[in-house]
């Protein structure tokens, strides 16, 4: 389904990139939707008590190696994955789907991790939240701005703050190379650039760093 990358409260990715090494034999189209336009639409349509569900902190599952179960077997890993400790970590890892400040917005959404986060803390997903996410998913479908197959060698960059992305189901063919995509995440440290004053040197350093990736 529709999502942005990164589920950690303390690590935010500004850009997500996807490089196609080999496309699937069938299906697997990449989708992009404008979550900024969706916010404007649903803010006009939803009552405030439902809009609140999309703008209040929500617990997100804690992602680790091993499909969320962890791979390390030492005592610290065991304790961190214990029921009570994991519930506390998930409760800490809470943040809103939409955050707005003036004319700026950040969208962070992965419905699956919200639902498993509630499940692992023994919290029921509130009915209003479930309905609000249903509406959000429908509106993201309507706001889709790109829906196509990436060909071999093509690469897409998405603004992970205002764009949601998704992928259609796919099938591989045993007679052809399997689907192979390479993903990359970029953190653009823009806090200093947004400050007033002459930041030309900082901007040049940032450009050099991006072009060297």
């Amino acid at each position: 389904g529709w999502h942005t990358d990164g589920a950690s409260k303390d690590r935010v990715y500004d850009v997500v990139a996807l490089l196609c090494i080999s496309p699937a034999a069938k299906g697997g189209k990449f989708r992009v939707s404008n979550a900024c336009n969706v916010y404007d639409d649903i803010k006009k349509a939803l009552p405030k008590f439902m809009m609140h569900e999309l703008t209040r902190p929500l617990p997100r599952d804690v992602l680790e190696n091993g499909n969320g179960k962890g791979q390390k077997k030492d005592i610290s890993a065991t304790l961190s994955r214990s029921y009570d400790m994991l519930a506390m970590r998930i409760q800490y890892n809470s943040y809103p789907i939409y955050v707005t400040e003036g004319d700026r917005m950040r969208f962070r959404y992965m419905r699956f991790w919200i639902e498993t986060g509630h499940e692992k803390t023994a919290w029921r997903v509130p009915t209003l939240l479930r309905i609000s996410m249903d509406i959000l998913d429908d509106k993201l479908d309507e706001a889709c701005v790109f829906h196509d197959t990436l060909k071999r060698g093509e690469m897409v960059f998405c603004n992970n703050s205002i764009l949601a992305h998704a992928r259609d189901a796919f099938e591989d063919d045993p007679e052809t190379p399997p689907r192979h995509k390479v993903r990359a995440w970029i953190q653009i440290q823009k806090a200093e650039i947004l400050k007033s004053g002459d930041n030309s040197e900082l901007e040049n350093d940032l450009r050099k760093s991006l072009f060297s990736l």
Side-chain angles (χ1 to χ4, degrees):
W2 293 109
H3 65 280
T4 55
D5 281 8
S8 172
K9 175 182 178 180
D10 299 320
R11 178 177 293 177
V12 181
Y13 301 116
D14 299 303
V15 179
V16 58
L18 188 67
L19 169 65
C20 178
I21 304 297
S22 176
K26 182 180 179 181
K29 287 185 177 181
F30 188 71
R31 292 180 283 156
V32 177
S33 184
N34 190 327
C36 194
N37 288 351
V38 168
Y39 177 81
D40 289 338
D41 289 343
I42 60 179
K43 188 178 180 182
K44 297 174 185 176
L46 291 184
K48 289 184 177 180
F49 65 87
M50 289 186 67
M51 195 66 196
H52 174 69
E53 296 298 315
L54 303 178
T55 56
R56 68 176 178 88
L58 300 170
R60 316 291 180 107
D61 203 349
V62 176
L63 308 188
E64 294 173 323
N65 292 332
N67 295 322
K69 299 179 181 179
Q71 292 181 331
K72 294 182 179 179
K73 301 300 181 182
D74 57 31
I75 185 64
S76 63
T78 301
L79 289 174
S80 70
R81 302 300 301 182
S82 67
Y83 177 82
D84 291 335
M85 183 62 71
L86 181 59
M88 291 177 61
R89 294 171 64 200
I90 291 174
Q91 290 172 33
Y92 167 78
N93 194 43
S94 297
Y95 50 87
I97 293 174
Y98 277 107
V99 174
T100 58
E101 184 176 347
D103 60 352
R104 301 186 183 279
M105 187 198 81
R106 181 172 286 278
F107 175 73
R108 302 188 69 190
Y109 182 56
M110 167 67 91
R111 181 167 184 161
F112 179 77
W113 299 130
I114 293 173
E115 292 177 341
T116 58
H118 278 78
E119 178 184 341
K120 292 179 181 179
T121 53
W123 292 351
R124 182 179 60 83
V125 177
T127 301
L128 286 179
L129 174 58
R130 195 178 298 278
I131 294 173
S132 297
M133 290 193 296
D134 286 343
I135 295 172
L136 175 60
D137 289 334
D138 289 343
K139 289 296 184 180
L140 287 170
D141 285 340
E142 296 174 10
C144 183
V145 295
F146 178 84
H147 187 195
D148 205 351
T149 302
L150 294 181
K151 300 179 178 63
R152 182 178 288 109
E154 291 185 334
M155 190 172 192
V156 61
F157 292 85
C158 287
N159 184 327
N160 202 45
S161 298
I162 61 175
L163 297 176
H165 60 273
R167 170 188 56 75
D168 292 350
F170 69 91
E171 295 179 10
D172 283 329
D173 185 336
E175 303 299 323
T176 61
R179 178 184 182 273
H180 184 191
K181 304 290 176 72
V182 177
R183 192 179 298 268
W185 298 273
I186 303 172
Q187 289 177 294
I188 300 177
Q189 304 304 320
K190 55 189 176 184
E192 294 298 324
I193 292 178
L194 295 177
K195 292 181 180 179
S196 60
D198 182 13
N199 295 294
S200 57
E201 183 177 350
L202 184 60
E203 291 183 23
N204 288 334
D205 289 342
L206 177 59
R207 291 178 185 277
K208 290 179 182 178
S209 298
L210 290 176
F211 289 143
S212 65
L213 292 175

